[in-house]
Amino acid sequence: MKIAVGSDHAGVEFKKEIVAWLEGHGHTCTDMGPYTEDSVDYPDYAHKVGRSVASGEHEQGILLCGTGIGISVSANKVPGVRAALCCRPEYATLARQHNNANILCFGARFTDLATIHESLHNWFSADFEGGRHQRRVDKIEPCC
Ligand code: RB5
């Protein structure tokens, strides 16, 4: 699968581990930055990865920031993106099964490598269940 990966400065170290895990599991991975721990703004990378997933250039995305909150909120501003913040491995399964999420987000300052690996395993093992979940996903759209 073609996966886009990005973060802010807080997620750079885990991003490297995620890229290695993805490539080790046969995925084609594009690291969209940043490449140092110099301070950056998470929306820039969320939008970069979000646009590449929404356009179909990449099938799915992985994003990290300190909490995972800023990067997921920002990614969800890109039409077509369903970014899910993953706080425990079960979230990764359910984000695919129920929400048909196409970007998985982690809070680098509130997780560990074992949790990330288990979450990635769950994410790629689970499929969208459709049915009543499709109806709900269809209702996820801009509203006021
Ligand atoms: C950066 O210090 C921090 O605010 C960011 O990584 C993230 O946690 C924002 O939601």
Side-chain angles (χ1 to χ4, degrees):
M1 201 177 278
K2 287 179 72 177
I3 311 293
V5 183
S7 70
D8 72 355
H9 48 283
V12 165
E13 281 308 310
F14 277 145
K15 177 161 62 62
K16 289 180 196 163
E17 302 282 354
I18 288 171
V19 168
W21 188 97
L22 291 169
E23 290 178 346
H25 286 76
H27 298 285
T28 303
C29 192
T30 306
D31 182 348
M32 298 195 150
Y35 309 108
T36 73
E37 292 187 34
D38 294 346
S39 185
V40 295
D41 299 332
Y42 54 79
D44 296 336
Y45 296 90
H47 294 161
K48 209 169 168 182
V49 168
R51 286 194 192 102
S52 82
V53 171
S55 72
E57 185 186 348
H58 290 88
E59 293 160 80
Q60 293 184 0
I62 310 288
L63 285 168
L64 308 100
C65 69
T67 58
I69 295 170
I71 206 107
S72 54
V73 168
S74 303
N76 278 314
K77 294 292 183 184
V78 179
V81 164
R82 290 176 301 281
L85 176 54
C86 184
C87 299
R88 43 190 285 185
E90 293 86 346
Y91 282 32
T93 304
L94 290 165
R96 289 289 308 127
Q97 290 179 339
H98 290 188
N99 311 113
N100 201 15
N102 49 17
I103 297 184
L104 188 64
C105 304
F106 293 102
R109 293 177 178 147
F110 295 90
T111 191
D112 55 57
L113 196 53
T115 301
I116 289 176
H117 284 164
E118 194 178 338
S119 301
L120 291 173
H121 169 80
N122 288 357
W123 175 258
F124 290 107
S125 302
D127 293 314
F128 182 49
E129 291 179 352
R132 68 188 188 282
H133 301 297
Q134 183 66 63
R135 185 181 68 243
R136 293 161 186 165
V137 167
D138 287 343
K139 289 184 178 181
I140 302 173
E141 57 187 28
C143 65
C144 55

